[in-house]
Amino acid sequence: MPFIANTAEQRQAMLSEIGCYMADLFGDIPEAMRCKSFDLPGGMTEQAVCGHLRDLASKNSTQLTSFLGGGFYDHFIPAAVNALTGRSEFYTAYTPYQPETSQGTLQAIFEYQSMICRLVEMEVANASLYDGGTALYEAMMMALRITGRNKIVIDDTVNPIYRKMIHSYTRNLKIDLCETKNDGGMINRAAILKAMDDKTGAVILQNPNFFGCIDDFTDIAAAAHEKGVLLIVSCYPLALGILKTPGAMDADIVTGEGQSMGLPLSFGGPYLGFMATRRKYVRKMPGRVVGQTTDTQGRRGFVLTLQAREQHIRREKATSNICSNEGLCALAALVYSCLLGKQGFKEIAQCCADKASYAFKRLIAIPGVRPHFPAKWFFNEFVLDLPCDATDVIGKLIEKGIAAGFPLSRYYPGMKNSMLIAVTEKRSKQEIGMLAETLESVL
Amino acid sequence: MKLIFEKSVKGRRGPAVVRSDVPTSIHLDKRFLRAKDAELPELSELDTVRHFTELSRRNYGVDTNFYPLGSCTMKYNPKFAEVVASYYGFSNLHPLLPQLRMGGSLTQGALQVLHDTDLLLREITGMAAFTMQPMAGAHGELTGIMMIAAYHRAKGNKKTTLIIPDSAHGTNPASAAIAGYEVKTVPSNAEGVMDVDALRAAVDEETAGIMLTCPNTLGLFNPHVQEICDVIHEVDGLTYYDGANLNAILGKVRPGDIGFDIVHINLHKTFATPHGGGGPGAGPVGVVEKLVPFLPVSVVVKRDDGTYALEYDREQSIGYVAPFYGNFAIVLRAYAYILMLGREGLIRVAENAVLNANYIKEKLKGAFDLPHERVCKHECVFSAARQNGQDVHAIDVAKALIDAGFHPPTVYFPSIVKEAMMIEPTETESKETMDAFIEAMLDIAKRAETEPGSIKAAPVSTPVGRLDETAAARNVDVACLG
């Protein structure tokens, strides 16, 4: 049998030592409780399984030129990322419960936490959460714990998928979710200020927002803090190569989806949720945290710390139920940020913005195509209005080998003719030109 | 060893990743820009490669050492599954694609993987349908409890409590609490499993359900589990099977056959996807027929014409628990693994996992206290209480094992066993490896009597010795901010 080392003789020798038959090892399971069926196919060889999966992989698109974003982006991944995360000393280890055998993982997580803090300009970060959506939900719960309040204000420019997740998670809890409506693609400041009251624990915003527009929330942070409300900002980490950081805006909790830093799209996962906050809230933060300390000889070392917050110690009183998280994805993000470095990270962000701006200009030159919002500033994603139903147009372009964008009517019913277009550093001038020409030809 | 930030040299560059080929550069309004560059390190590619290669050598993994970390199922992860997950047709696939018109036709292979894995897991567990969306075991628990809540809401039941045994993983009560339930803990009996009478005393009309791990964290199968399910069903409660230890019973018992309504599976444990130094994993959840309407969206369906599609319009669904279809690349590995092993292979997994655990139990029971002297399943739990006389504790045994070249077992869990040492060898380990481990454990037991100082001093073979965890928690230093 594959992956079973012991031979029949060895198994027999072990059974003799125990003094029983194989059946006796399952003798504690009453007859009535045994499997009623186990009708699975017979095993396959490695070659056959790989062939089957290669067939399935080939039934998926591999030739499409993609301008899809919506929080999940097609960025280039330098080869060294996978070469290093592919070291099996990393990927066949588990949560570093025994620090002496896990210094590699622990130091890497410490460095990852440091990298996140430097990127978003906050003081502390955790070892990762599942994805950007669950990270936002955890941040919301954390804010309610800190403030002892039960109302959340969330703007509709926050990723609609994340808002749907938060709705699901809070359905059985006594949490008042108040959703504010955007004003021309940007947050409606007056509406948010009005929605914040003495029951509000946090206001949740996103930058760049779901429509790609960028903003500065410093004024919202100040207004929120005056009312004892925390500001949670969900962000796109790669954009922070150039954009003003949530820390600089005086946000209290920062979360985001780390997929843009070295992780493939992989049809939705695994991705990487990150979270950073102020030092004073570190004990209220969910998830694993690695801290620096010393060993018996005074040498620097790293351990899982603040475990008294966690489920395996605190059980039902824990800050979260999260246990293992996305360790290897966090490592990938760290390696990615090291390979790009201080200059490279900034350059990639600028390159995305440049190409998006170029694409925007090319596309609005097409007769009938207009920007949906008056807002002038975006990072690498923008919303265009077409003269007809965007869903149809996108379907026609897919047949021509281009995933032109995402039809916004799926999440914003009034935006029937609008599509969200993302441009990363991977899209060439020629591909942008092809998008413009093909779009024009189908309109 | 230096931090990567301490290796930074001003002006040094990594690989040339990208160059803009568009004619213009955009100058965004200054108020939207960061004031100073992010303080990321400046390194050559070789600097980065050396650093992380060196870090990797400061780790024990399954590929380097025997790793009998109880309840974590640290089995060998076959390499072909890694290769499969990297196929371009999967790894480069944007998750929004099937939500576009005509886009579904370009994701048929991926949707088939989700669909077929669902079918395989149904047969393995005896459940009616699975969702692949939960991204970890604990996330699966939360998803399952949200379905429990949705079920009771739909029936108009007023339910407030979930029952959880004292031997449960900490995630069970934590998941119940964050989903809005009160937790009622039921003690284990002298046999190490949940006591049916104690359960009856705890159950009332407010009972929403029970969460049970079987075999439990002591590695013991509860022969009364069917009766437990009946007790819960009598008050219209739901029964949740924590599949953390499914490895032990593949092809022997199916949770669906014995009265469980909801099951989560840690794909990364039983179905051999690597643990990644703490994730990513995947925690698909299966349910019985009456709970199918409550599954999260989306749901993959096979149409009459043989194509696959995603369904979102499901009135009673608990909604979104993940942005898309779960940790797809992990599901993919599990799918490939199940296909390779097939029916016989999976049955051999359970048999060999259980045989290996019982072998270790038999060989060590003379040297360490064994709280429950009966046949175990995938793991055995010893106590280091006998060694306490010489001031040797479970943690000391763990550290001494490191010097012998083994990753330690899980220690101090489950908390219902004093000085617990939870050993899970898994099916992939050979007799020779286990014999060497047994020999090391016996040597430690002997030295605990004769020279306990040598055990208290361990480990000496690792890059660092025992670390001051109290200082780490007191002087919180969790980031190098530069």
Side-chain angles (χ1 to χ4, degrees):
Chain A
M1 279 296 155
F3 319 121
I4 305 281
N6 288 330
T7 62
E9 289 74 32
Q10 284 179 310
R11 280 198 289 277
Q12 196 45 57
M14 289 161 65
L15 285 166
S16 304
E17 293 259 6
I18 303 168
C20 73
Y21 296 104
M22 184 63 93
D24 300 331
L25 296 177
F26 293 90
D28 52 344
I29 301 172
E31 200 59 47
M33 290 167 65
R34 301 291 173 91
C35 262
K36 292 195 169 54
S37 157
F38 202 63
D39 186 15
L40 295 166
M44 289 165 78
T45 63
E46 181 167 331
Q47 187 182 348
V49 176
C50 289
H52 171 59
L53 279 144
R54 214 175 285 118
D55 285 349
L56 289 180
S58 69
K59 289 185 183 169
N60 301 320
S61 130
T62 49
Q63 302 300 322
L64 215 55
T65 303
S66 173
F67 294 88
L68 279 175
F72 313 91
Y73 302 96
D74 180 23
H75 288 292
F76 183 78
I77 302 172
V81 173
N82 292 335
L84 291 168
T85 57
R87 298 265 321 177
S88 69
E89 298 90 331
F90 284 128
Y91 81 72
T92 71
Y94 197 34
T95 303
Y97 295 116
Q98 294 288 337
E100 299 88 346
T101 58
S102 316
Q103 282 301 298
T105 294
L106 285 161
Q107 182 170 331
I109 295 174
F110 181 84
E111 291 174 352
Y112 160 81
Q113 292 169 183
S114 306
M115 180 274 285
I116 292 292
C117 288
R118 288 166 181 234
L119 194 57
V120 303
E121 298 190 308
M122 297 297 286
E123 294 168 313
V124 296
N126 72 8
S128 79
L129 297 161
Y130 307 133
D131 81 299
T134 48
L136 198 56
Y137 149 73
E138 291 278 8
M140 178 195 78
M141 298 298 280
M142 174 180 161
L144 297 179
R145 272 197 304 279
I146 291 171
T147 57
R149 298 178 177 184
N150 71 344
K151 179 178 163 183
I152 293 289
V153 175
I154 184 165
D155 196 71
D156 75 350
T157 55
V158 173
N159 194 321
I161 296 172
Y162 293 176
R163 284 184 284 126
K164 280 178 184 285
M165 289 168 70
I166 284 177
H167 274 283
S168 311
Y169 287 128
T170 51
R171 200 149 163 208
N172 308 311
L173 309 177
K174 292 176 186 70
I175 294 173
D176 178 11
L177 274 183
C178 168
E179 203 164 281
T180 47
K181 269 197 135 32
N182 77 87
D183 176 16
M186 304 285 277
I187 57 168
N188 180 336
R189 290 179 144 74
I192 289 173
L193 294 185
K194 197 167 157 227
M196 282 194 282
D197 56 23
D198 59 2
K199 293 192 178 62
T200 308
V203 54
I204 301 179
L205 303 176
Q206 180 177 318
N207 192 50
N209 70 27
F210 187 68
F211 304 123
C213 302
I214 54 178
D215 205 341
D216 174 8
F217 300 137
T218 310
D219 57 331
I220 302 290
H225 293 156
E226 223 164 78
K227 295 183 181 179
V229 178
L230 303 186
L231 172 62
I232 298 171
V233 176
S234 175
C235 62
Y236 173 7
L238 203 73
L240 296 179
I242 55 172
L243 292 190
K244 182 165 182 173
T245 65
M249 296 176 192
D250 209 20
D252 300 283
I253 309 172
V254 181
T255 64
E257 173 51 64
Q259 176 270 326
S260 59
M261 299 190 286
L263 297 172
L265 284 161
S266 285
F267 206 50
Y271 289 165
L272 167 68
F274 64 85
M275 175 184 280
T277 185
R278 298 179 193 277
R279 193 178 168 80
K280 66 177 174 185
Y281 299 139
V282 70
R283 286 170 206 275
K284 302 279 185 190
M285 184 168 64
R288 302 235 135 108
V289 186
V290 171
Q292 185 169 192
T293 186
T294 50
D295 76 352
T296 42
Q297 296 177 43
R299 290 176 293 198
R300 170 154 78 184
F302 301 88
V303 293
L304 286 175
T305 193
L306 303 176
Q307 294 192 65
R309 304 164 298 118
E310 289 191 57
Q311 47 76 28
H312 59 291
I313 313 274
R314 291 272 281 170
R315 300 179 80 83
E316 64 266 29
K317 294 189 177 64
T319 52
S320 163
N321 70 335
I322 194 164
C323 182
S324 54
N325 31 62
E326 308 288 299
L328 200 69
C329 302
L331 177 67
L334 171 65
V335 173
Y336 177 85
S337 69
C338 292
L339 289 166
L340 264 70
K342 189 176 181 173
Q343 285 302 319
F345 209 92
K346 185 171 67 173
E347 286 167 10
I348 289 237
Q350 183 65 45
C351 185
C352 291
D354 289 344
K355 292 194 173 192
S357 147
Y358 174 77
F360 179 78
K361 283 181 198 137
R362 286 283 319 247
L363 295 169
I364 58 169
I366 300 169
V369 176
R370 290 183 331 230
H372 181 83
F373 296 119
K376 189 174 163 200
W377 302 108
F378 56 87
F379 172 62
N380 75 332
E381 208 163 8
F382 49 86
V383 179
L384 294 182
D385 274 353
L386 308 177
C388 49
D389 190 329
T391 305
D392 295 337
V393 175
I394 290 167
K396 284 181 194 159
L397 288 169
I398 281 195
E399 289 177 331
K400 295 180 182 295
I402 302 173
F406 189 74
L408 282 167
S409 58
R410 192 174 170 90
Y411 296 112
Y412 299 87
M415 301 177 78
K416 203 162 165 290
N417 292 359
S418 309
M419 88 174 158
L420 180 68
I421 297 171
V423 188
T424 68
E425 78 284 359
K426 273 177 82 173
R427 294 292 75 82
S428 66
K429 184 180 166 215
Q430 189 203 349
E431 287 172 324
I432 294 167
M434 188 174 75
L435 167 66
E437 285 156 24
T438 320
L439 177 61
E440 189 164 4
S441 76
V442 302
L443 286 179
Chain B
M1 182 177 162
K2 279 185 175 176
L3 295 175
I4 189 99
F5 304 100
E6 294 161 353
K7 295 177 176 174
S8 179
V9 176
K10 194 172 163 34
R12 190 170 285 175
R13 299 295 306 260
V17 173
V18 72
R19 197 164 287 132
S20 175
D21 61 354
V22 296
T24 52
S25 184
I26 175 87
H27 298 285
L28 297 173
D29 190 313
K30 242 192 142 109
R31 71 197 153 106
F32 300 128
L33 298 180
R34 66 185 296 156
K36 61 180 186 56
D37 296 344
E39 286 298 330
L40 298 176
E42 296 176 86
L43 305 158
S44 68
E45 181 166 325
L46 177 57
D47 291 336
T48 301
V49 168
R50 286 248 169 88
H51 178 78
F52 288 101
T53 303
E54 191 179 349
L55 280 185
S56 77
R57 293 165 69 177
R58 295 158 82 93
N59 256 15
Y60 281 22
V62 173
D63 283 8
T64 60
N65 301 76
F66 180 44
Y67 211 124
L69 191 64
S71 232
C72 298
T73 314
M74 299 300 287
K75 59 164 93 171
Y76 172 70
N77 313 133
K79 301 302 173 192
F80 81 99
E82 297 304 301
V83 172
V84 161
S86 72
Y87 287 165
Y88 190 74
F90 296 125
S91 68
N92 197 46
L93 204 56
H94 198 291
L96 284 173
L97 205 50
Q99 299 183 24
L100 308 183
R101 180 168 299 172
M102 310 305 294
S105 63
L106 300 175
T107 56
Q108 287 297 302
L111 295 177
Q112 189 182 335
V113 168
L114 292 170
H115 178 267
D116 289 359
T117 308
D118 175 11
L119 295 186
L120 291 166
L121 295 181
R122 289 180 196 184
E123 183 60 22
I124 288 169
T125 57
M127 306 308 285
F130 269 81
T131 172
M132 299 298 150
Q133 283 157 44
M135 295 174 273
H139 197 216
E141 292 175 24
L142 179 57
T143 304
I145 298 167
M146 285 160 70
M147 285 193 270
I148 292 177
Y151 169 81
H152 289 308
R153 192 168 44 234
K155 291 198 73 179
N157 292 344
K158 294 259 178 302
K159 302 283 193 177
T160 56
T161 54
L162 277 172
I163 291 182
I164 294 172
D166 58 359
S167 62
H169 294 107
T171 49
N172 288 180
S175 300
I178 62 169
Y181 282 104
E182 281 167 43
V183 172
K184 213 181 249 186
T185 305
V186 173
S188 306
N189 60 20
E191 277 86 55
V193 293
M194 179 180 267
D195 191 90
V196 181
D197 291 332
L199 173 70
R200 282 189 194 281
V203 168
D204 57 28
E205 286 303 314
E206 302 260 292
T207 303
I210 190 170
M211 298 180 82
L212 216 57
T213 308
C214 186
N216 67 14
T217 58
L218 292 165
L220 304 176
F221 189 86
N222 188 338
H224 310 296
V225 66
Q226 210 156 18
E227 200 181 340
I228 288 172
C229 290
D230 292 344
V231 170
I232 299 296
H233 286 146
E234 276 164 28
V235 294
D236 198 19
L238 294 174
T239 50
Y240 183 100
Y241 179 91
D242 178 329
N245 299 333
L246 188 73
N247 208 48
I249 55 164
L250 290 171
K252 302 293 176 186
V253 179
R254 302 194 310 169
D257 292 342
I258 56 176
F260 282 99
D261 301 309
I262 308 174
V263 177
H264 91 253
I265 299 177
N266 303 67
L267 288 187
H268 49 288
K269 292 180 180 177
T270 308
F271 300 109
T273 60
H275 287 49
V285 171
V287 294
V288 292
E289 202 65 51
K290 67 178 174 183
L291 296 177
V292 170
F294 304 107
L295 284 172
V297 287
S298 55
V299 170
V300 183
V301 291
K302 189 172 184 177
R303 298 199 195 96
D304 291 341
D305 65 1
T307 60
Y308 302 89
L310 292 166
E311 230 179 59
Y312 285 89
D313 203 11
R314 296 170 68 93
E315 206 185 323
Q316 286 188 294
S317 164
I318 58 167
Y320 282 62
V321 298
F324 298 105
Y325 328 108
N327 279 347
F328 175 76
I330 306 295
V331 175
L332 189 55
R333 289 172 170 92
Y335 174 65
Y337 176 81
I338 294 169
L339 286 186
M340 183 188 268
L341 265 65
R343 181 181 187 277
E344 290 307 310
L346 291 176
I347 294 171
R348 298 293 165 260
V349 163
E351 289 177 349
N352 283 277
V354 170
L355 171 60
N356 286 359
N358 278 282
Y359 179 66
I360 287 180
K361 175 174 73 77
E362 196 61 30
K363 300 287 264 187
L364 291 182
K365 70 181 183 189
F368 295 93
D369 287 349
L370 181 66
H372 299 286
E373 168 77 84
R374 49 177 275 206
V375 69
C376 66
K377 293 275 92 60
H378 59 296
E379 63 196 1
C380 52
V381 178
F382 284 96
S383 164
R386 195 191 302 177
Q387 283 71 30
N388 288 179
Q390 298 289 333
D391 197 29
V392 168
H393 295 267
I395 191 74
D396 302 312
V397 174
K399 304 303 184 196
L401 269 173
I402 293 172
D403 281 340
F406 299 103
H407 192 286
T410 298
V411 289
Y412 301 108
F413 186 84
S415 48
I416 52 171
V417 170
K418 191 177 166 241
E419 292 280 329
M421 297 184 295
M422 187 191 214
I423 305 170
E424 181 180 11
T426 83
E427 75 280 2
T428 56
E429 296 298 335
S430 67
K431 180 171 181 293
E432 305 91 277
T433 302
M434 289 188 291
D435 284 339
F437 172 78
I438 289 160
E439 199 178 311
M441 284 291 278
L442 295 175
D443 177 60
I444 290 165
K446 200 156 109 202
R447 283 195 289 136
E449 306 263 319
T450 56
E451 39 170 338
S454 73
I455 292 169
K456 302 291 285 185
V460 296
S461 60
T462 43
V464 292
R466 291 197 203 190
L467 291 149
D468 192 342
E469 301 193 20
T470 315
R474 200 180 302 127
N475 317 311
V476 177
D477 178 2
V478 299
C480 165
L481 299 177

